[in-house]
Amino acid sequence: MLSQMGAGGYRSDPTLIVGGVGGLLVWLIGGCIAGPVTEEFIVRGFLFRGWSESSLGPIGAIFLTSAVWALYHTQYDWFGRAIIFAFGLVLGHLRWTSKSTWTTVVAHSACNTFILFTLGRYI
């Protein structure tokens, strides 16, 4: 199992290589646009808004939404989820201070796009 772990705690899977322009387009649309939009509006749109107005307050909501979001990413090991949790804290802070879910969508999308091209899955 340890030999299958890649950068950032991601489990390597040869089927995840894009392998062409069509595959790259699918990864860009799904992983860099649709995924971030969906996740951010559910986690930092719906959940954060509700929990921040509860007794948890904004700080508690940031921690709880980050934990939920990290646990949702089951394709990663615990180290990878810890990194996602930390990024979730950053996104939660952005959501709170900007009062906009679109800010987190753009940041999440930019991060996923950067990771896609730096991991070389587009080969």
Side-chain angles (χ1 to χ4, degrees):
M1 180 63 111
L2 289 176
S3 63
Q4 293 179 345
M5 293 299 174
Y10 191 83
R11 292 186 190 111
S12 63
D13 183 350
T15 63
L16 295 177
I17 301 299
V18 170
V21 175
L24 177 60
L25 187 60
V26 168
W27 266 88
L28 285 170
I29 292 170
C32 302
I33 297 171
V37 168
T38 304
E39 289 178 7
E40 292 305 319
F41 274 93
I42 292 170
V43 175
R44 273 162 280 281
F46 179 73
L47 294 177
F48 174 82
R49 184 173 181 162
W51 286 339
S52 67
E53 294 174 4
S54 74
S55 61
L56 289 172
I59 302 295
I62 289 171
F63 276 90
L64 190 54
T65 56
S66 296
V68 167
W69 188 55
L71 291 173
Y72 168 76
H73 287 83
T74 59
Q75 72 270 36
Y76 296 96
D77 65 3
W78 289 107
F79 178 73
R81 289 181 189 171
I83 292 170
I84 291 171
F85 175 78
F87 185 50
L89 294 175
V90 171
L91 291 174
H93 177 74
L94 282 173
R95 169 62 176 88
W96 181 31
T97 56
S98 72
K99 297 181 180 18
S100 172
T101 305
W102 283 108
T103 305
T104 63
V105 169
V106 170
H108 187 166
S109 180
C111 182
N112 283 11
T113 303
F114 176 78
I115 290 169
L116 172 68
F117 286 106
T118 57
L119 286 180
R121 298 198 184 283
Y122 55 89
I123 297 172

